[in-house]
Amino acid sequence: MRFLRISKLNFTMHHLSEQEIIRRDNLTKLKDAGVEAYPSESFDVNAFCKDVKDQFKDGDTTFQSVSMAGRLMSRRIMGKASFAELQDSSGRIQIYISRDDICPEDDKTLYNDVFKKWLDLGDFIGIKGFAFYTQMGECTIHVTELKVLSKSLRPLPVVKVDDTGKVHDAFTDPEMRYRQRYVDLIVNPEVRETFKQRTAMYTSMRNYLNERGYLEVETPILQPLYGGAAARPFTTHHNTLDMKLYLRIANELYLKRLIVGGFDGVYEFSKDFRNEGMSRFHNPEFTQIELYVAYKDYQWMMNLVEEMVEKVAIDLHGTSKVKVGENIIDFKRPWKRYTMYEAIEHFTGVDISQMNEDQLRDTARKMHVHVDNTMGKGKLIDEIFGEKCEDQLIQPTFITDYPVEMSPLAKRHPSKPGLVERFEAICNKKEIANAFSELNDPIDQRKRFEEQLDLGKRGDSEAMVLDEDFLRALEYGMPPTAGLGIGMDRLAMIMTNQNSIQEVLFFPQMKAEKE
RNA sequence: GAUCUGGUAGCUCAGCUGGUAGAGCAAUACACUUUUAAUGUAUGGGCCCUGGGUUCGAAUCCCAGCCAGAUCACCA
C-alpha cells in the first residue's frame, strides 16, 4: 500500500518551459552517449576556489594538481577553447578548457558535445588541472580532465558582475528568494555569508558559556501548559495520550526546574513558537537563548551580557564596532545604564518616580502617548518608555528596575517598592536581552500567578497560566538565581546588518504557494 | 487586522491617455585556442497572478480575490 503515500506533487508535473525541455533533452543525449549524468562514486576534492585564488602566486609549484568540484556558473566559448566559472562552497574561480587538452585522442565528443552542448549553467562538474594566470591576469584553472557530476534541470537566474563591481540582473524578488532559498544561496554569495555569521554567533556564545561551566540542555517543546512569557500559543494534540499540548512560548519554567534540581548554570538555544502577527521583526517560530545561573543576581547578569555580546561582535567582525544601517554600534564595555525612571527623565525631562496612577496618566497624555483608563501604573510607565525612550536608544544600553505588574516571574526590588530586579538591553531601538533576578519565593510566585489568572479572566489572551508543578518545584527551594533571555534572530539581524528577520532565517514562514 | 506599492519570457525590467506583446541577460544554431557583463550573425520562447465587469477591442480602465513587500497596531 506504500504507493498511496506518495504525495500528489510527484504526479503533477508543472508545464515545462522551453529551457527546461532543452535541459531534459540534454540529459537524454548524455545518457545516449554513455555519459552518466548522476554518477554515484565519490569525486575527491583537494582544493577550493577561494584557497586557490587567495594563495596561488604565478610561478608557484602549488595547486599544480588540483581536483575541484562545483557548479558551472558561466561559459565563454571561443571555438576550440573556452573559459567558464566553477562555483563551490567557498566561491568561484575561472577555469580554462581547451579541446585538445581534455580530448587528446581523435574523439572530441567530451569537448564538442558534452561540454559545449549538453552541459548547462548550474550543472555540477568535477575537474582536474593546474592553476595559472591568464594574460589578463586572472587566476584560472587549466582543465585537463572533466567529469559530469550532476545535471540541473531548471535554469538558474544569471547574475553578472561587471568590471566596476556593478551587479546586473540581481536575483532580488523577496518572495522567490525566501520560497526558494536554495536558489538564493546559489546565486547570492552574501546570503551564504549572513547565515555563516549567524552560526558563528551561536558558536561564539556557546563557547563563552561552556568555558564558564554552564550546561547546555534540552527541554520540552511540546508542553501540557505553556509559560514563561506573555504570548498566545500554538496548540496541538497527541493522539495516543489523547491530550492537548502547546508548543512552547518560552522554556523559562523548565530551566528553573533544573536549577531546583541542582545544576548551577543551564542554558538552551530554544526554538519558541508564538501564535501572533508577523512582521519584519516577528516570525511565528523564533529562537531565544535562555540562561539561568544559581547564586547570582541581575546586576551580575548585566556584566555577563556585556562581556558575551562584546565577544560575539569581536568574533564576527574583529572589532566591537558593527555597522547597522546608518549607524555604527559599538558593543565595547561598559554599556550605558539607566533605571527606567532615569531613562524617562533623561529623554523627556519629567521625573515620574513619585507619581501615582492618575498623575502618570495625565503626564502620558501631555506627552501625546496613547493611553486608556484600563492601564495600571506599570503599563503606563511601560507605554511612556516605549513611546519616548526606546526609539532613541541606538547604542547598547541597559534599562533596569521595571514595574512589578509587567514581570510576574521576577524578584521584587528590596528597596524600590513596585519595582522588580529586572533589566533589558536595548540596541538599535529594539530589545535584545531581557533578564531578572528570578523570583524564588513560592508564596509570592503563587500570588503573581493568581494575578495573571485574573487578567486572563478579564480577557487578556496573553496572560500567564498557573503552573502547579512549577510552584511545587519552587516549594522544594530554588537558590537565588539570575535568568536571561536573548532573542537570537534579533541579535543576528544586528550582527549581520539585516533589516528583516527573514534575512536571518533560512526558511521564513510564508503562506502556501498556489498550485 | 488597516493603509500603500507591486505581480508581464528562465532572471531583471519597459510597455503612455485602451488598438498585432518588447529589451538586456539566459536559451537555440553557426563562427572563433587566453576570454571575462567575451564578441559577431541568425532564431525560438508569453494562461501579461486569478475571476468577473466596461468596451467593437483590455497587459493597460473598474470591481472582487490570491501572493508578496513596506508602513502602522500587538509582540521577541
Side-chain angles (χ1 to χ4, degrees), chain A residues 300-339:
Chain A
W300 176 90
M301 188 63 91
M302 256 188 280
N303 295 333
L304 180 143
V305 169
E306 273 179 346
E307 189 175 53
M308 180 166 68
V309 176
E310 182 191 36
K311 172 181 142 58
V312 166
I314 292 169
D315 284 352
L316 265 59
H317 300 286
T319 163
S320 61
K321 295 186 173 71
V322 179
K323 186 174 189 305
V324 182
E326 300 300 303
N327 302 304
I328 303 288
I329 293 181
D330 193 349
F331 289 97
K332 190 170 176 50
R333 289 175 287 163
W335 300 353
K336 272 210 191 94
R337 296 184 185 193
Y338 293 116
T339 66

Side-chain angles (χ1 to χ4, degrees), chain A residues 62-75:
Chain A
T62 55
F63 300 115
Q64 294 308 291
S65 179
V66 297
S67 177
M68 303 173 75
R71 285 185 193 269
L72 180 67
M73 294 303 282
S74 73
R75 225 173 3 175

Side-chain angles (χ1 to χ4, degrees), chain A residues 192-207 307-324 331 488-498 504:
Chain A
R192 179 188 301 272
E193 281 313 302
T194 297
F195 285 101
K196 281 161 91 171
Q197 288 206 313
R198 180 178 173 130
T199 297
M201 185 176 97
Y202 278 67
T203 304
S204 173
M205 292 170 76
R206 195 170 259 135
N207 288 343
E307 189 175 53
M308 180 166 68
V309 176
E310 182 191 36
K311 172 181 142 58
V312 166
I314 292 169
D315 284 352
L316 265 59
H317 300 286
T319 163
S320 61
K321 295 186 173 71
V322 179
K323 186 174 189 305
V324 182
F331 289 97
M488 295 299 287
D489 314 283
R490 294 279 177 84
L491 189 61
M493 285 168 66
I494 289 171
M495 289 293 172
T496 62
N497 191 17
Q498 298 296 335
V504 299

Side-chain angles (χ1 to χ4, degrees), chain A residues 298 301 305 421-425 433-438 483-485:
Chain A
Y298 78 133
M301 188 63 91
V305 169
E421 290 199 340
R422 172 178 175 183
F423 72 81
E424 290 191 358
N434 178 21
F436 29 89
S437 302
E438 300 297 332
L484 166 72

Side-chain angles (χ1 to χ4, degrees), chain A residues 447-514:
Chain A
K447 210 175 352 172
R448 304 262 203 107
F449 272 142
E450 283 165 354
E451 285 162 13
Q452 289 288 313
L453 287 182
D454 284 344
L455 286 177
K457 279 181 194 142
R458 281 198 272 144
D460 184 346
S461 59
E462 294 183 349
M464 290 185 189
V465 293
L466 190 146
D467 187 332
E468 201 59 66
D469 176 69
F470 175 66
L471 287 171
R472 177 168 63 187
L474 284 193
E475 284 167 11
Y476 280 100
M478 183 172 85
T481 299
L484 166 72
I486 294 179
M488 295 299 287
D489 314 283
R490 294 279 177 84
L491 189 61
M493 285 168 66
I494 289 171
M495 289 293 172
T496 62
N497 191 17
Q498 298 296 335
N499 69 357
S500 165
I501 197 170
Q502 297 165 109
E503 297 293 346
V504 299
L505 297 169
F506 273 127
F507 303 104
Q509 194 59 239
M510 296 284 241
K511 282 206 184 182
E513 244 179 309
K514 273 195 299 184

